[in-house]
Amino acid sequence: MISSSARPRRLRNLKWARDMFRETRVTADSFVYPLFVVPGKKYKKEISSMPGCFHLSVDEAALEAEKCRALGINAIILFGLPSKKDPLGKEAYNPKGPVPEAVRAIKRAVPELAVITDVCLCEYTSHGHCGVVTKNACGHMVDNDQTLKLLVKEALVHAGAGADFVAPSDMMDNRVGAIREALDAAGFQQTGLLSYAAKYSSAFYGPFREAAQSAPQFGDRKTYQMDPANFLEALREVELDVMQGADIVMVKPALAYLDVLRAIKDKFQFPTAAYNVSGEYSMVKAAAKQGLINEKAMVLEILTSIKRAGADMIITYHAKDAAKWLKEI
Ligand code: PBG
């Protein structure tokens, strides 16, 4: 009898053949490592909700960037915590804020490392929402178009400091087009745009909100972030961002949305990123601490699954550890 097999046993049984015919390869050059930059000097403090991640002053962020580069990581993404917050998030577009200062310091220290900046207001507003809050008949809401103006200002400040890419994560309508137009008009045609195109309103952001001190003080983000139940809407979001000039589109979170990621890759065949978010990271860390799992094996499996589902770029807090482990293999 002829036996059939999806992968012939003669290949499965040989290590060289398993290696040769593996379909997905995870490499450090697809990782982006997030850094949380705070005001001050020589400051480095672990974030309690995200063990292994730190609040860093600008000088410490530059040192961390050098370490990433040495591990073969080619890009970082910066989040900023301002010295003060107000309803309009003014520190978000202060050219002397922690993010623009960190961009300059990192570009000076490691020019070949790509620097991406998160463009959003939630870390900078006193109410913790991603935009300008107004009132409507149902209570508070975020004013989409007022917010766009501030996001554009923030993106221009980051580009002016030398960011290679800006990454709007607010989920306001038309922000990609507005930012692209403003960047071009200001002479930043070379600055790229990574759009958080399909960003879901997710419980997996919990640990990040402590890290960025950005938990909304009232209400939630459901009026601007996507409903986890919606799939077709993600395709429409991506289509609009591609039309408006995004260079890379992102799905966020990653693990509970791998179906969305695969569909977007197949449909648009466009540079695609996935954000392996804080909740996904901290769950692994907590389980590892309790001795419930093999952290290294689990992280590499998770990153492989995100890549297999279609991500070219993976933003992940595991980046440094994974880069080290991949060197050992
Ligand atoms: C800002 C922003 C958030 C994350 C990235 N950018 C938080 C949010 O939308 O509440 C989450 C990242 C993570 O959980 O790792 N809007």
Side-chain angles (χ1 to χ4, degrees):
M1 197 191 57
I2 297 172
S3 78
S4 53
S5 160
R7 185 166 51 140
R9 245 163 282 170
R10 280 176 292 277
L11 298 189
R12 269 188 323 225
N13 291 342
L14 298 162
K15 181 176 183 310
W16 67 262
R18 285 195 302 275
D19 290 347
M20 185 177 283
F21 293 98
R22 180 166 299 127
E23 296 176 37
T24 307
R25 279 171 219 282
V26 174
T27 48
D29 55 15
S30 52
F31 300 156
V32 180
Y33 187 59
L35 297 180
F36 295 95
V37 190
V38 298
K41 272 205 178 106
K42 291 207 185 323
Y43 184 90
K44 180 172 180 177
K45 189 158 182 262
E46 192 168 42
I47 298 163
S48 58
S49 59
M50 299 173 68
C53 294
F54 295 83
H55 284 137
L56 304 163
S57 52
V58 168
D59 50 328
E60 293 287 339
L63 292 177
E64 197 65 19
E66 281 173 22
K67 281 187 209 150
C68 288
R69 188 69 197 104
L71 286 167
I73 296 166
N74 290 336
I76 51 149
I77 182 164
L78 298 179
F79 294 92
L81 280 83
S83 49
K84 54 182 185 298
K85 304 192 186 214
D86 63 82
L88 294 178
K90 292 204 180 82
E91 284 299 305
Y93 30 93
N94 175 358
K96 294 213 157 69
V99 167
E101 294 286 16
V103 172
R104 282 186 283 267
I106 291 168
K107 277 288 163 194
R108 225 177 294 128
V110 235
E112 67 282 12
L113 185 76
V115 177
I116 306 171
T117 59
D118 185 85
V119 171
C120 194
L121 297 180
C122 63
E123 296 112 274
Y124 304 93
T125 51
S126 38
H127 44 69
H129 278 286
C130 303
V132 180
V133 173
T134 53
K135 280 191 177 163
N136 76 354
C138 302
H140 291 91
M141 60 166 235
V142 168
D143 185 319
N144 193 99
D145 297 352
Q146 288 298 325
T147 304
L148 285 191
K149 293 181 196 151
L150 304 183
L151 294 170
V152 162
K153 274 180 147 180
E154 183 179 7
L156 286 173
V157 165
H158 293 177
D164 297 285
F165 268 71
V166 291
S169 67
D170 52 284
M171 285 303 276
M172 299 301 131
D173 287 342
N174 300 319
R175 87 271 207 225
V176 170
I179 292 173
R180 182 71 269 159
E181 225 170 81
L183 288 173
D184 290 349
F188 297 118
Q189 289 91 347
Q190 296 305 316
T191 309
L193 220 155
L194 159 63
S195 168
Y196 288 69
K199 177 174 176 180
Y200 287 89
S201 173
S202 171
F204 286 94
Y205 306 150
F208 174 96
R209 292 191 183 161
E210 186 188 324
Q213 291 155 15
S214 64
Q217 300 303 306
F218 49 82
D220 52 43
R221 302 208 203 291
K222 288 185 182 147
T223 60
Y224 42 105
Q225 297 182 350
M226 286 182 54
D227 180 342
N230 293 355
F231 172 88
L232 299 174
E233 187 185 341
L235 303 183
R236 296 197 295 273
E237 287 282 4
V238 168
E239 186 171 12
L240 290 172
D241 285 2
V242 170
M243 274 166 29
Q244 288 177 29
D247 299 290
I248 306 166
V249 289
M250 185 149 71
V251 175
K252 179 185 172 189
L255 288 182
Y257 301 88
L258 292 181
D259 56 332
V260 179
L261 183 59
R262 167 48 60 199
I264 285 170
K265 189 67 188 176
D266 286 347
K267 185 170 158 85
F268 297 96
Q269 312 208 347
F270 202 73
T272 306
Y275 200 138
N276 178 212
V277 300
S278 58
E280 298 170 332
Y281 170 83
S282 296
M283 287 196 302
V284 171
K285 284 290 182 189
K289 196 170 171 206
Q290 289 196 50
L292 301 177
I293 54 149
N294 173 338
E295 181 180 358
K296 172 177 166 181
M298 185 174 273
V299 167
L300 293 178
E301 186 174 334
I302 285 173
L303 296 172
T304 301
S305 76
I306 297 172
K307 191 114 196 246
R308 191 198 63 231
D312 308 293
M313 167 193 269
I314 306 173
I315 302 185
T316 178
Y317 304 98
H318 295 296
K320 281 173 59 198
D321 286 338
K324 272 182 221 149
W325 293 328
L326 288 168
K327 282 192 181 188
E328 290 163 11
I329 290 171

